[in-house]
Amino acid sequence: PFELVHVDGSDLRRGGTRQNDIEASAIVDWLKAHREAIERHYLDDAGKPTPIWQLVGIVTPFAAQAGAIERRLRRDMPDLLRKDSRLTVGTVHALQGAERAIVLFSPTYGDNFSGGAFFDQTPNMLNVAVSRAKDSFIVIGNRKLFDAGRTALPSGLLATYLVERSRETVEIDG
């Protein structure tokens, strides 16, 4: 239920927030590659596939990253941003009080980042993100942020549960 899909890429600072376009693209490409299988796996009471927008939530620590993901969704999967079928994309607060079968976490920080991650300042952020996932919590981002040797940090504790999968053969066109 815990997975890490490694993504290379650099983040950009946007005022007090951050954005990583390569990571945003990787998340949307992951959704495109897995959408049909996810919808078929979760059948409603009538035996019909459940729409992905009811199953998946995308969370990130940064508003600019949520915006980058939404822009990419608008371009590649606009049906997921309609008012009547809107995929939840936002900061961790977007899922507060809600659950999804699958939560995708976009840490945003890239190879160029050094220092302490925002989500390591307090355990609450990652705890809320992880606890909203009923079945799977998938990190799509840079593996260097999650070091199992640093269990005193929330990201280090999470790293002890993450299983790294090789990146899909889906073409990422950042």
Side-chain angles (χ1 to χ4, degrees), residues 2 5 22 26-28 30 35 41 48 61 67 81 84 89 92-93 121 126 130-131 146 150 154:
F2 290 94
V5 178
I22 299 294
I27 288 167
V28 174
W30 187 95
R35 179 180 189 165
H41 180 77
K48 294 183 179 182
L81 295 178
D84 63 337
V89 179
V92 174
H93 311 291
Q121 293 176 5
L126 281 179
V130 170
S131 67
F146 300 91
R150 300 182 310 170

Side-chain angles (χ1 to χ4, degrees), residues 2-86:
F2 290 94
E3 187 172 318
L4 169 68
V5 178
H6 175 69
V7 176
D8 285 319
S10 296
D11 63 283
L12 302 171
R13 208 159 170 63
R14 302 268 185 214
T17 187
R18 291 179 182 270
Q19 177 179 324
N20 184 328
D21 290 328
I22 299 294
E23 191 172 292
S25 294
I27 288 167
V28 174
D29 289 340
W30 187 95
L31 278 172
K32 289 190 300 190
H34 294 89
R35 179 180 189 165
E36 187 178 324
I38 291 168
E39 290 177 335
R40 276 196 329 256
H41 180 77
Y42 292 93
L43 302 178
D44 66 15
D45 294 337
K48 294 183 179 182
T50 303
I52 197 164
W53 64 270
Q54 294 177 356
L55 300 168
V56 174
I58 303 171
V59 295
T60 178
F62 301 104
Q65 183 68 356
I69 294 166
E70 284 190 346
R71 283 189 296 282
R72 182 63 187 248
L73 282 168
R74 198 169 294 110
R75 187 185 96 184
D76 292 0
M77 303 175 83
D79 63 304
L80 296 183
L81 295 178
R82 292 191 321 241
K83 287 186 182 194
D84 63 337
S85 60
R86 185 163 180 78

Side-chain angles (χ1 to χ4, degrees), residues 103-114:
V103 171
L104 303 179
F105 181 69
S106 173
T108 310
Y109 297 108
D111 281 333
N112 58 321
F113 175 73
S114 63

